[in-house]
Amino acid sequence: MEWQVLADVRAATNALHGGHLPPHTREPVHVRVGRLANWAGVCQLAARAGGWELFPVAGTDASAATGPVGMADLLSGIYALAEQGERWKALIRTAVQQRHAAVRAGGAVPEQSLEERLNDLHPGFERDLADAEAFFTGPGSLEDLHLFFY
């Protein structure tokens, strides 16, 4: 069942990046963030489908793990990173709402791009997004996970 769930996770999170290596800077930032945030929902669905429980992995020493990685461990680790995509989606909503509020208030339209605004709200955003994309897409990433599972 784990192999089928893994295949379903890969199918549901198809990056659709056209074979380009990360960072996917040719695409709008909301598309890039949305692609990462999708992983969180897929991990939650996979865990529910298989009866596994996601658990916090922050602060866990990976070298202390014993035995083969189980599906709950795998999904929890992926979910921990995918959650950041969900936080960035919320940050995008905040940036857009702030822009709309300024326009409604009769103020000048901010000249910053969305990416620049996100970097102001989350210093290092561009670098962090590129790192997350490298984790989720491309050679040696989750796309190759089936080679190392169990």
Side-chain angles (χ1 to χ4, degrees), residues 95-105:
V96 169
Q97 288 169 348
Q98 288 174 348
R99 180 182 174 100
H100 290 167
V103 170
R104 280 192 304 273

Side-chain angles (χ1 to χ4, degrees), residues 5-142:
V5 168
L6 185 57
D8 292 342
V9 166
R10 289 187 63 219
T13 55
N14 184 346
L16 299 175
H17 52 66
H20 301 287
L21 293 177
H24 303 292
T25 55
R26 292 186 234 166
E27 299 172 354
V29 70
H30 68 278
V31 170
R32 296 170 66 195
V33 168
R35 178 183 294 132
L36 299 176
N38 286 345
W39 279 90
V42 169
C43 287
Q44 291 170 328
L45 287 170
R48 274 189 220 114
W52 301 292
E53 187 173 331
L54 298 177
F55 56 88
V57 297
T60 303
D61 181 5
S63 66
T66 59
V69 173
M71 197 61 156
D73 300 300
L74 177 69
L75 291 172
S76 294
I78 295 169
Y79 180 74
L81 294 169
E83 274 185 308
Q84 184 60 49
E86 291 182 322
R87 287 190 285 276
W88 286 333
K89 275 180 68 172
L91 196 64
I92 288 172
R93 279 191 301 275
T94 298
V96 169
Q97 288 169 348
Q98 288 174 348
R99 180 182 174 100
H100 290 167
V103 170
R104 280 192 304 273
V109 176
E111 294 184 23
Q112 284 183 312
S113 70
L114 179 58
E115 290 85 350
E116 291 168 331
R117 182 69 184 127
L118 292 171
N119 269 316
D120 287 348
L121 294 170
H122 175 106
F125 170 76
E126 288 182 53
R127 180 196 64 245
D128 293 345
L129 177 57
D131 288 346
E133 286 176 322
F135 176 80
F136 284 104
T137 63
S141 68
L142 285 177

